[in-house]
Amino acid sequence: MANVSDKLAVLACPLGIVYMILAFAAAQQPSQASTPAPVLDTKGIAVSLFPYPYPGHVELFEGVDPDELTGSTSSTQHPFLQENILITSLVPDPAGNRFFYIDVYTNSIYRWDNVTTTLNDKTVSTINQTYKLYEGLSRAICKLDYDYVSGNIYWSDPLLHWIAVLPVDSDSTDGMKLLLTDDVDYVAAMALDTNSKQLFWVSSAYEDGKMERSNLYGEERQVIISSSIGFVDDMTLDMTDELLYWVDSHRMTVESAKYDGTERRVIRRLVGTEFTSIAVIGSSICLVNFDNYEMQCMFKASGDRYVYHSFYPSNPYAVGFFNPGVQITTLEDKCVNTACDHICINTKTQPKCLCKDGYTLEPNGKTCTLVNKLFESAVTLTNSTHICMIQLSSLSSSATNKPLRCEVTNATMNTRHIQAHVAKNLLYYTANGKDPASVNKTQLLRFDLRSQQHWVVVTDMEDPDDIAFDWVGEKMFSCHSKVNLVKVWDVVSGLSSIVYSDKYVAKVSELAIDPHRDNIFWIADTIDGLGIYVGTFSGATPVRLVSSGSLIKPTGLSFEYLDDSVCYIDSGRFYGVTVNGTQSGHRISVGDATKSLIYKNYAIWNSGKSTLKMSIYTLDTSVYTTTTTMGTINAMTLYSKEAQTAFLDPCKIGNGGCDDICLRQGQSVTCMCDFGRTLSANNRSCSAVPLTTNFMLMTDLLHDRIVQVSMDGTKVISLPINNLMTPAMARYGHHDDMLYWSEIGSKSIRRGSLDGTKNEKIMSVGGESYPDRFAIDFTINQIYFTVSHSKEFNRGYIAVMKPKRDKIESKILIPNLNFPGGIAIDPGKGYIYFNNHGSEVYIARADSDGGNIKTIVNFTRSGGTPLGMAIDYQNGVLYWADAYTDQDKIEYINLQTGTRSVLRTDMTSDAVDVVLSGIYLYYVGYNRHRIIKVNIQTKQLEDFMTDQPELGACDSTDIVPTANTQPNNTQCGSNNGMCSHYCFARPSGKKKCGCPDGLYLDQATQLTCTTAPPKCPTQIPNGDLNPGCSALSGTSCGYSCKSDKYMKNPDVNILTCTSSMFWDSPTDTLCIEKVCDTNMQDGSLVNCQGKSGESCTWTCPGTLVKKPLIEAVVCLSSGMWSTPLAELCVQMKKCTGAIPNGSLEGCTLAADRSCRVRCTSGYVPSVDFIHCLPDGVWDKDLKNVCEVAKVVTPEKQTAAVESSVTGLTAAVAIVVTLLVIVIALGVTFYFCRRRVFAADKQAVQGRYRASPNVYFNASDSRGEVPAQGFSNPTVQASNGEAMPNTNPLKMDQINLSDDPTKENMRIEGHYDIIKEGTPVAGAGGPHEVVNPLYSTVRPQEEVKFQNAEDVPEKPGYHRFN
């Protein structure tokens, strides 16, 4: 659960402030009366929750067992506001009516007493019932358990690498005993059985993890499981059945085994799930999932989950059963009558006394005696006059001032360096002597912690810059920058010798040593520049580990034993480098520190003169500060048995000589073999003899294995292939008897022999991508494979490659996939089948070159997660494994009919891959620890293989040999189809060659590949490509045409070069001769080619006639006709109407035709002919064509003239009289109207500045310049209302019968509709409709009136004057 641990380290400090705020806020809430909770002394379930968004608390499901729990079961919250708790381990003690818990925020262990009193009486504060038992845990996820018979709590500390014990009723928080400190790396899970008196724990280092047991005082250690242990986050046990249960986040499993490690069983594997806590009672297991905010309970026997309980938005972490059933109350406590001074532990035979740290047990087995008045495990410091110790376990407590124990040195001044020899309880330090003869000399002194005595070891150490002690050989090393020396001193005789001198140690300043490998490390500024060097005790030629280019001002040199690296400080940052020179990079920031120590997973450094700081050396967070009262710290060292081991872990030296697993007991080594391998007679090497035929293959991506299974399912072999890195898929090469596999870890596809002697990389990808599934065309050894991107969608693809020894190359066939999850090929028909996951989930088919993709199964609506696929070549059926949300099944589709069916449903199996042979289908799943065999015809399971709990996530399977033989690739089988690289069989029966990415298919041969990229044609008829056009595939280019005779194709402006190396438009259609279009829709041109400058005539068919006044049309240089062809033929119109008193003779009434006039008797024609104009109107008024024939005598003519004069005079008089009357009436009307309508007119003019006759729509805001005769209507009044136009077009200026007038007004947007003589409602568009009777500035409002007088005078409506 490393990721959760990292989250805690980051969250713990800043959450403190949040907790205080939440606690204060909660304290301000008025108390409310509540019904007392039922007494919890019967049963209940307790879950700890982290503090977001509420303060951290324990949630109790009272009065229920796990099998009674449902998702809606109510619970009560019990906060610990004063503690700001982050409870990571919770242990109930029903008999004692209390809980024990670990709080990561304070790094402490607490006891919560009187649980039932707290629950039932809300006046009793939980705060007053909690007691701190121990402070000083590391920042890791420590685990806790309780021996309820002896009354001791045990806990494991992963970062401090120990298991400790403490009496729960101790009056002192420093009464703990380190029970196990050797070879207990990162113990994240621990449990004990009070009945059988056994302690169990798991040292988790992923693939090197192991499960051990001992008695309750840490002796009689035994490894019970050493294979296939990942990262165990928590464990518990069933004392009745003597079964262990644990959760493994690396293997994603819930597992169990007997106390001796036998009968191991995977109860359930939950992919992508990490459980932080497990509890068992009766038939139930309950687990907590921190990241998913939930608790799950399942049955121990089947692993079926029966309840989920969500705590969202809070994160649960630990679970425990408060139930007397978890404790056996008949056990006898023999410690009651044993007078142990400190700690008493019940054993299987008799009690055993232990002493807390710093004390030793006397021979009577009960009394404890103080070893020294300082600490047993501490950071040792010195100033000029004192030696002081701070207990190591206290450095991680939240208190700033830690307990400090000091002793006066034997010097008066200048104590500069200090070293320890823990095995002999000695300290070495340098100081100036007391007597006058040595006051200016640097002496080496020894201090015995037991006797409290000081001795001078070396009278003159020659003023060293630094010292380092070899506790194995009991020698002291010193460096001297003034004389460029590194020396070694015998601490018994005081004699010295030179180890290094001159150029290798010029300006040497600091030392560190590894006494188990006889290595010395130092900082020096030599002629080669500043560097960190490593040499040997014997003075062999040193090696520079870190060069000057990586250093500025290094200091604080120290050696770290966990991963054998040298640590140093440079420019305020803490760095590390391994002995072989591999830089570990920046670890933490340490400010102005000059001194550092490494203790297990922690770095300790000085900050200022008198302050120490400590942090996990890989994190910048969770820094603990200790302020001392001893003044300036001159030097510091570790006083710890764990830091000064007497021997080097033999398993760290060549894995102890073991092939697979090295187990250490003291200095002795026991070798064991990994799953599927056998220990040889020498008890060191492991062997696995591969099967050569009749076997199946499996990949175990969690444990980096490729496994063989015999066809009878009884023999399992882990193939001896070294350095596998998360193998995802393995396939046997039936064509070459080689093994092919893909590795997610190395992002490669490899091949090799079954015995591991051959192993080569044949393909790799970079970045965040990795190869996953693949299929081999055995005929031509051509591999099709899928690639996914670990972080982003739409970055996956399908590619093809051929194994080559000299280079790695491939070609992408199908790009832009999300997560392709499976692939199968049919070389005989030229098809690829693949599936893809993402926003759309489907199975598709494509040609083998990646073209013609077609979806054959779509899961987007129905749901599904198709993964591994296999083709039944003989019957034309595609099978696939579907791992969709616990509805796992094996499905198939008939490729001919498209019929889709389910072969087998296997819920919760997480099925991932299938393979076929004859009438059998075999499949594997993440939650199945074997290969499963199904009869395709009966759809029934066949006995094949038993569960193998050591297997991790089985990701693929294959069978050798197979009855489902792949069809031959006949199109490419002969000499690779003559293709130089890739040959693709296609459904059309015509193969196609292809080239690796970066090479190009030769355009001439279509067989070979060249480095020169192919181009589209660079010459185009009668034109040129634009300058700079590369004409490469995928590029787009413009073009131009030569001379004035040619023009660009108006339909093609840009050319794009396609992958087939042709332009997307034919080049002979790009530059066309400039001609006018001779296609005449209504009519036809006469003998016309449409060339530039050509003059053509035309004819019109049927009722159409030639447009008047135009004799011919001319083709212009622009390619346009002088008159559009569409306007040359117009509809032939006829004149209508009869001539009064006459008739027309010889006339068709057709347009542009003349007719003779004939008048009836008594009438004479005024004209001989009338002409029918093109628009169907006669050129003469028909009423006046035939006039009355008149006969006039002279006398009558004179009388007529006189009568005319008299009549004219009378008419003039009448006209003048009427004019005077009209003028008089007009003046009268003007003044009357001015008086009557003055107020209203003034109001209208005040709002709009004018009162025009016609208004345009105020909503027309296009901002265009109005056409001549029209006004822009977009002016706004000061009050925000639209103003009508101020230069209106009078209605009498509008010829409503004039179609061009109406069309122009419509185009300009001023009128949508104009209907003569009929009121029209407001239009439904952006423009207003004008009504001859009224106009409005309000669109969408319909008003109709018959007379102008009926139109109301109201805002927005105005009558025409």
Side-chain angles (χ1 to χ4, degrees):
M1 197 66 190
N3 58 338
V4 175
S5 179
D6 293 343
K7 294 176 186 176
L8 294 179
V10 174
L11 284 173
C13 290
L15 278 176
I17 299 173
V18 178
Y19 300 149
M20 289 187 285
I21 296 173
L22 291 172
F24 178 77
Q28 308 310 308
Q29 299 297 321
S31 61
Q32 298 180 359
S34 60
T35 303
V39 176
L40 197 64
D41 59 2
T42 302
K43 55 186 176 181
I45 303 171
V47 181
S48 69
L49 286 101
F50 275 24
Y52 178 83
Y54 314 108
H57 62 278
V58 171
E59 194 143 329
L60 293 169
F61 299 87
E62 302 163 23
V64 296
D65 274 334
D67 55 1
E68 301 169 331
L69 188 68
T70 68
S72 59
T73 302
S74 61
S75 60
T76 57
Q77 296 183 4
H78 301 280
F80 300 75
L81 298 180
Q82 91 291 1
E83 296 294 351
N84 307 321
I85 60 174
L86 295 164
I87 295 179
T88 57
S89 189
L90 182 67
V91 178
D93 176 18
N97 192 22
R98 58 190 177 180
F99 279 102
F100 301 97
Y101 62 88
I102 289 177
D103 175 21
V104 174
Y105 181 71
T106 58
N107 303 325
S108 300
I109 301 173
Y110 291 86
R111 186 182 73 230
W112 172 13
D113 290 340
N114 301 317
V115 173
T116 56
T117 303
T118 304
L119 299 180
N120 290 277
D121 187 352
K122 300 303 180 182
T123 64
V124 179
S125 172
T126 303
I127 298 172
N128 298 328
Q129 303 299 315
T130 55
Y131 301 91
K132 184 182 293 185
L133 298 178
Y134 176 78
E135 181 177 13
L137 303 175
S138 73
R139 184 57 77 184
I141 308 300
C142 301
K143 294 297 180 178
L144 184 70
D145 209 347
Y146 176 52
D147 175 1
Y148 56 87
V149 174
S150 301
N152 300 316
I153 56 170
Y154 292 72
W155 72 92
S156 60
D157 196 314
L159 294 184
L160 294 175
H161 301 268
W162 65 43
I163 295 176
V165 62
L166 174 73
V168 298
D169 296 316
S170 172
D171 294 330
S172 173
T173 59
D174 65 351
M176 73 113 168
K177 170 68 177 178
L178 294 181
L179 203 63
L180 293 164
T181 60
D182 183 31
D183 195 25
V184 281
D185 295 341
Y186 213 96
V187 178
M190 182 203 68
L192 62 86
D193 184 342
T194 303
N195 183 27
S196 65
K197 309 297 188 292
Q198 294 184 82
L199 178 66
F200 301 88
W201 69 92
V202 178
S203 298
S204 289
Y206 293 97
E207 291 307 297
D208 297 326
K210 59 188 175 184
M211 186 176 292
E212 295 185 73
R213 68 176 176 178
S214 72
N215 57 35
L216 292 181
Y217 51 92
E219 296 180 0
E220 302 174 6
R221 289 178 64 170
Q222 178 188 4
V223 176
I224 57 175
I225 298 178
S226 60
S227 177
S228 301
I229 293 288
F231 192 95
V232 177
D233 297 279
D234 194 21
M235 65 188 305
T236 189
L237 44 81
D238 183 338
M239 289 186 289
T240 302
D241 296 333
E242 293 196 344
L243 289 173
L244 292 164
Y245 293 85
W246 68 91
V247 287
D248 190 323
S249 61
H250 179 65
R251 285 167 50 84
M252 300 172 286
T253 54
V254 182
E255 301 187 55
S256 70
K258 284 192 170 183
Y259 279 5
D260 61 0
T262 62
E263 297 186 20
R264 182 177 178 181
R265 183 169 70 96
V266 176
I267 300 171
R268 185 71 182 268
R269 172 173 279 114
L270 295 166
V271 178
T273 302
E274 294 184 5
F275 293 113
T276 56
S277 182
I278 180 172
V280 173
I281 189 171
S283 62
S284 298
I285 303 173
C286 287
L287 311 111
V288 166
N289 187 327
F290 178 90
D291 290 327
N292 289 350
Y293 311 94
E294 68 181 9
M295 176 174 65
Q296 302 181 17
C297 293
M298 63 180 62
F299 296 112
K300 290 194 300 185
S302 64
D304 293 336
R305 292 177 287 187
Y306 63 84
V307 69
Y308 295 79
H309 189 94
S310 175
F311 298 95
Y312 184 85
S314 295
N315 296 95
Y317 201 93
V319 60
F321 296 147
F322 196 95
N323 192 311
V326 303
Q327 295 179 341
I328 301 175
T329 58
T330 58
L331 301 177
E332 179 184 1
D333 181 10
K334 296 180 181 179
C335 286
V336 172
N337 300 317
T338 303
C340 296
D341 271 4
H342 292 163
I343 303 170
C344 182
I345 295 176
N346 281 285
T347 70
K348 291 182 179 181
T349 56
Q350 61 184 5
K352 182 177 179 64
C353 295
L354 299 177
C355 295
K356 65 182 182 181
D357 287 344
Y359 290 78
T360 184
L361 188 66
E362 293 297 325
N364 63 13
K366 298 179 180 180
T367 305
C368 297
T369 303
L370 182 66
V371 176
N372 62 72
K373 71 173 187 176
L374 301 183
F375 292 109
E376 184 174 358
S377 184
V379 176
T380 306
L381 312 166
T382 179
N383 58 15
S384 292
T385 57
H386 287 72
I387 295 172
C388 301
M389 282 187 174
I390 300 177
Q391 193 170 18
L392 275 167
S393 60
S394 71
L395 288 177
S396 59
S397 71
S398 56
T400 301
N401 295 301
K402 312 296 193 304
L404 190 69
R405 296 179 182 177
C406 297
E407 173 67 26
V408 177
T409 66
N410 193 41
T412 58
M413 59 181 295
N414 203 20
T415 302
R416 296 175 53 199
H417 311 103
I418 190 164
Q419 292 288 294
H421 190 183
V422 182
K424 293 187 176 182
N425 295 297
L426 297 175
L427 293 175
Y428 291 92
Y429 61 94
T430 64
N432 294 101
K434 289 184 177 181
D435 57 275
S438 60
V439 70
N440 292 321
K441 295 180 180 180
T442 300
Q443 296 180 336
L444 177 65
L445 298 99
R446 179 172 62 230
F447 174 52
D448 189 319
L449 291 171
R450 288 179 179 269
S451 66
Q452 303 291 298
Q453 298 295 314
H454 299 261
W455 289 274
V456 175
V457 177
V458 178
T459 57
D460 186 2
M461 210 176 184
E462 302 169 5
D463 193 19
D465 293 89
D466 197 10
I467 62 173
F469 183 64
D470 168 15
W471 63 87
V472 177
E474 295 193 51
K475 297 184 288 289
M476 187 71 71
F477 290 83
S478 62
C479 64
H480 308 263
S481 62
K482 294 180 181 178
V483 291
N484 297 336
L485 292 176
V486 170
K487 302 183 70 174
V488 60
W489 305 79
D490 189 314
V491 295
V492 177
S493 64
L495 299 177
S496 67
S497 61
I498 296 174
V499 183
Y500 288 101
S501 62
D502 299 328
K503 63 177 183 178
Y504 293 121
V505 290
K507 300 181 182 178
V508 59
S509 57
E510 295 192 27
L511 285 182
I513 63 170
D514 174 10
H516 295 303
R517 297 182 178 86
D518 292 348
N519 285 334
I520 316 173
F521 307 92
W522 66 87
I523 300 172
D525 191 0
T526 68
I527 57 174
D528 296 325
L530 190 63
I532 296 176
Y533 294 81
V534 57
T536 65
F537 287 1
S538 60
T541 303
V543 175
R544 185 162 62 173
L545 296 177
V546 186
S547 62
S548 58
S550 304
L551 299 171
I552 298 177
K553 189 178 180 181
T555 185
L557 198 66
S558 58
F559 186 75
E560 195 272 302
Y561 293 94
L562 282 179
D563 57 7
D564 297 328
S565 62
V566 182
C567 300
Y568 61 95
I569 298 168
D570 193 12
S571 301
R573 297 178 181 272
F574 197 79
Y575 295 89
V577 58
T578 61
V579 178
N580 61 13
T582 303
Q583 287 275 2
S584 62
H586 164 227
R587 290 179 171 177
I588 55 176
S589 299
V590 295
D592 59 353
T594 57
K595 303 173 181 64
S596 72
L597 300 172
I598 298 296
Y599 179 66
K600 299 186 177 180
N601 287 89
Y602 281 94
I604 304 168
W605 67 93
N606 66 313
S607 178
K609 294 181 178 180
S610 59
T611 300
L612 288 183
K613 290 190 176 183
M614 183 177 78
S615 175
I616 302 173
Y617 65 68
T618 56
L619 293 175
D620 263 331
T621 57
S622 304
V623 176
Y624 304 101
T625 301
T626 300
T627 302
T628 68
T629 57
M630 59 182 297
T632 301
I633 299 173
N634 289 340
M636 59 186 187
T637 192
L638 287 175
Y639 186 85
S640 168
K641 292 179 181 179
E642 296 86 53
Q644 290 190 356
T645 56
F647 55 87
L648 185 66
D649 183 349
C651 288
K652 286 189 174 184
I653 305 175
N655 197 40
C658 303
D659 272 4
D660 289 354
I661 301 169
C662 179
L663 303 177
R664 175 175 68 85
Q665 293 179 336
Q667 290 183 267
S668 64
V669 164
T670 300
C671 296
M672 299 184 71
C673 294
D674 192 11
F675 169 73
R677 288 157 63 83
T678 305
L679 188 66
S680 301
N682 62 8
N683 291 324
R684 287 288 186 271
S685 58
C686 296
S687 63
V689 180
L691 301 172
T692 57
T693 188
N694 297 320
F695 62 87
M696 297 197 71
L697 290 170
M698 302 172 67
T699 54
D700 183 347
L701 58 82
L702 290 182
H703 296 298
D704 295 333
R705 303 184 187 117
I706 298 177
V707 176
Q708 276 187 326
V709 181
S710 61
M711 287 307 299
D712 60 3
T714 60
K715 189 173 185 179
V716 180
I717 301 170
S718 182
L719 293 178
I721 302 173
N722 296 325
N723 303 316
L724 289 170
M725 299 179 67
T726 320
M729 187 176 195
R731 286 288 184 263
Y732 186 76
H734 297 278
H735 59 302
D736 60 3
D737 294 326
M738 297 287 281
L739 180 67
Y740 293 77
W741 69 92
S742 61
E743 292 185 356
I744 296 176
S746 66
K747 304 176 182 180
S748 64
I749 295 178
R750 307 183 70 89
R751 70 175 174 184
S753 56
L754 292 173
D755 62 4
T757 57
K758 296 179 181 178
N759 187 335
E760 63 176 340
K761 179 167 62 177
I762 58 176
M763 196 285 304
S764 64
V765 297
E768 300 291 340
S769 298
Y770 59 89
D772 190 0
R773 304 286 164 168
F774 63 91
I776 307 173
D777 182 341
F778 298 126
T779 304
I780 57 176
N781 196 22
Q782 190 160 284
I783 301 175
Y784 298 81
F785 60 95
T786 70
V787 173
S788 294
H789 195 277
S790 60
K791 295 182 179 179
E792 299 179 21
F793 284 94
N794 208 36
R795 296 284 297 277
Y797 57 86
I798 292 175
V800 65
M801 56 87 62
K802 276 182 174 290
K804 290 188 175 183
R805 295 184 181 277
D806 57 338
K807 62 178 65 176
I808 296 175
E809 54 188 15
S810 63
K811 176 181 179 62
I812 295 177
L813 300 178
I814 305 175
N816 304 322
L817 298 175
N818 288 326
F819 292 102
I823 187 170
I825 61 172
D826 187 344
K829 295 181 178 179
Y831 285 129
I832 305 172
Y833 295 88
F834 66 95
N835 55 56
N836 187 36
H837 305 158
S839 57
E840 293 186 356
V841 182
Y842 58 85
I843 295 175
R845 185 187 71 193
D847 293 351
S848 63
D849 63 350
N852 298 321
I853 299 173
K854 177 184 178 182
T855 298
I856 59 175
V857 183
N858 195 316
F859 300 85
T860 303
R861 291 187 177 181
S862 62
T865 309
L867 294 169
M869 304 190 299
I871 303 173
D872 180 345
Y873 297 111
Q874 182 176 356
N875 297 305
V877 179
L878 177 69
Y879 291 84
W880 67 89
D882 191 321
Y884 181 66
T885 59
D886 285 354
Q887 303 298 317
D888 312 83
K889 52 185 174 288
I890 307 300
E891 287 193 83
Y892 62 93
I893 185 172
N894 188 305
L895 296 174
Q896 303 300 320
T897 65
T899 304
R900 177 181 168 189
S901 305
V902 175
L903 176 68
R904 170 173 168 76
T905 298
D906 189 0
M907 296 175 61
T908 74
S909 65
D910 288 328
V912 292
D913 198 22
V914 297
V915 67
L916 301 168
S917 183
I919 64 170
Y920 296 108
L921 178 144
Y922 302 81
Y923 71 91
V924 293
Y926 286 160
N927 203 34
R928 296 290 180 264
H929 316 103
R930 65 188 187 278
I931 299 174
I932 301 171
K933 182 179 180 180
V934 184
N935 187 311
I936 295 175
Q937 296 176 347
T938 65
K939 298 187 177 182
Q940 299 299 312
L941 292 182
E942 300 274 344
D943 291 336
F944 178 60
M945 182 181 179
T946 59
D947 271 346
Q948 305 292 317
E950 293 84 0
L951 288 173
C954 300
D955 205 26
S956 74
T957 185
D958 197 12
I959 188 167
V960 180
T962 177
N964 187 42
T965 307
Q966 185 186 89
N968 286 330
N969 185 343
T970 56
Q971 298 178 37
C972 300
S974 177
N975 197 23
N976 198 43
M978 301 301 292
C979 299
S980 64
H981 288 75
Y982 307 132
C983 183
F984 302 112
R986 298 201 291 177
S988 63
K990 185 178 180 180
K991 56 88 178 169
K992 179 181 178 181
C993 298
C995 299
D997 294 332
L999 296 180
Y1000 308 93
L1001 193 64
D1002 182 80
Q1003 295 296 292
T1005 66
Q1006 295 291 306
L1007 296 173
T1008 58
C1009 300
T1010 66
T1011 57
K1015 296 183 178 182
C1016 284
T1018 57
Q1019 301 294 324
I1020 59 176
N1022 304 310
D1024 295 301
L1025 295 173
N1026 286 353
C1029 176
S1030 66
L1032 297 176
S1033 176
T1035 59
S1036 296
C1037 301
Y1039 67 97
S1040 59
C1041 296
K1042 299 177 180 178
S1043 78
D1044 294 336
K1045 292 184 179 182
Y1046 298 94
M1047 59 181 291
K1048 292 175 65 174
N1049 187 331
D1051 295 328
V1052 182
N1053 189 42
I1054 296 295
L1055 299 173
T1056 300
C1057 184
T1058 65
S1059 59
S1060 59
M1061 296 301 109
F1062 292 101
W1063 296 107
D1064 58 350
S1065 295
T1067 55
D1068 58 358
T1069 65
L1070 299 179
C1071 289
I1072 57 179
E1073 188 177 3
K1074 288 184 179 180
V1075 295
C1076 295
D1077 186 6
T1078 58
N1079 182 24
M1080 190 172 175
Q1081 184 175 359
D1082 297 322
S1084 60
L1085 296 172
V1086 179
N1087 298 324
C1088 183
Q1089 296 181 356
K1091 294 183 178 181
S1092 179
E1094 183 180 5
S1095 178
C1096 300
T1097 60
W1098 73 98
T1099 60
C1100 297
T1103 60
L1104 298 181
V1105 296
K1106 295 174 67 176
K1107 187 173 183 178
L1109 306 179
I1110 300 177
E1111 297 297 330
V1113 288
V1114 178
C1115 179
L1116 306 177
S1117 60
S1118 62
M1120 304 295 291
W1121 292 102
S1122 58
T1123 299
L1125 298 185
E1127 300 178 7
L1128 294 180
C1129 290
V1130 298
Q1131 186 67 38
M1132 182 174 64
K1133 296 183 179 180
K1134 290 186 177 182
C1135 292
T1136 60
I1139 300 176
N1141 306 310
S1143 62
L1144 296 175
E1145 191 175 87
C1147 183
T1148 62
L1149 302 182
D1152 204 29
R1153 293 292 187 270
S1154 297
C1155 299
R1156 181 180 294 276
V1157 178
R1158 286 288 186 261
C1159 296
T1160 58
S1161 178
Y1163 293 87
V1164 296
S1166 59
V1167 293
D1168 292 333
F1169 294 90
I1170 60 173
H1171 190 75
C1172 183
L1173 298 176
D1175 56 359
V1177 178
W1178 295 106
D1179 64 340
K1180 303 296 183 182
D1181 187 354
L1182 297 184
K1183 296 178 182 180
N1184 299 322
V1185 171
C1186 288
E1187 298 177 343
V1188 177
K1190 295 180 181 181
V1191 179
V1192 183
T1193 62
E1195 293 83 7
K1196 289 183 178 182
Q1197 185 175 8
T1198 302
V1201 171
E1202 292 177 352
S1203 176
S1204 296
V1205 172
T1206 303
L1208 178 60
T1209 302
V1212 171
I1214 291 171
V1215 169
V1216 171
T1217 301
L1218 290 175
L1219 181 59
V1220 171
I1221 293 171
V1222 169
I1223 291 174
L1225 289 174
V1227 172
T1228 301
F1229 178 78
Y1230 173 77
F1231 283 101
C1232 291
R1233 178 176 176 83
R1234 185 176 180 84
R1235 294 186 64 182
V1236 173
F1237 298 105
D1240 182 61
K1241 297 281 282 187
Q1242 184 62 36
V1244 172
Q1245 291 175 351
R1247 292 177 65 190
Y1248 297 111
R1249 300 184 184 176
S1251 182
N1253 291 331
V1254 178
Y1255 297 97
F1256 294 104
N1257 181 10
S1259 66
D1260 186 351
S1261 57
R1262 297 173 302 159
E1264 299 176 357
V1265 178
Q1268 185 175 0
F1270 295 92
S1271 300
N1272 190 332
T1274 59
V1275 183
Q1276 297 289 322
S1278 59
N1279 62 358
E1281 295 188 27
M1283 291 172 31
N1285 90 68
T1286 56
N1287 185 24
L1289 178 68
K1290 297 295 191 293
M1291 287 300 295
D1292 56 4
Q1293 294 178 289
I1294 301 177
N1295 181 358
L1296 294 179
S1297 64
D1298 186 351
D1299 288 339
T1301 299
K1302 290 187 290 184
E1303 180 64 10
N1304 289 339
M1305 296 174 73
R1306 185 189 65 77
I1307 292 174
E1308 289 301 320
H1310 296 294
Y1311 301 112
D1312 284 330
I1313 302 174
I1314 298 177
K1315 292 185 178 180
E1316 184 174 0
T1318 303
V1320 181
H1327 309 300
E1328 183 62 42
V1329 178
V1330 171
N1331 190 308
L1333 294 182
Y1334 68 89
S1335 175
T1336 176
V1337 295
R1338 296 184 178 182
Q1340 307 297 329
E1341 184 170 348
E1342 182 174 356
V1343 182
K1344 293 185 178 181
F1345 299 97
Q1346 296 298 323
N1347 303 301
E1349 292 79 10
D1350 296 331
V1351 179
E1353 287 282 10
K1354 60 179 181 179
Y1357 291 86
H1358 306 284
R1359 293 193 186 97
F1360 292 114
N1361 292 329

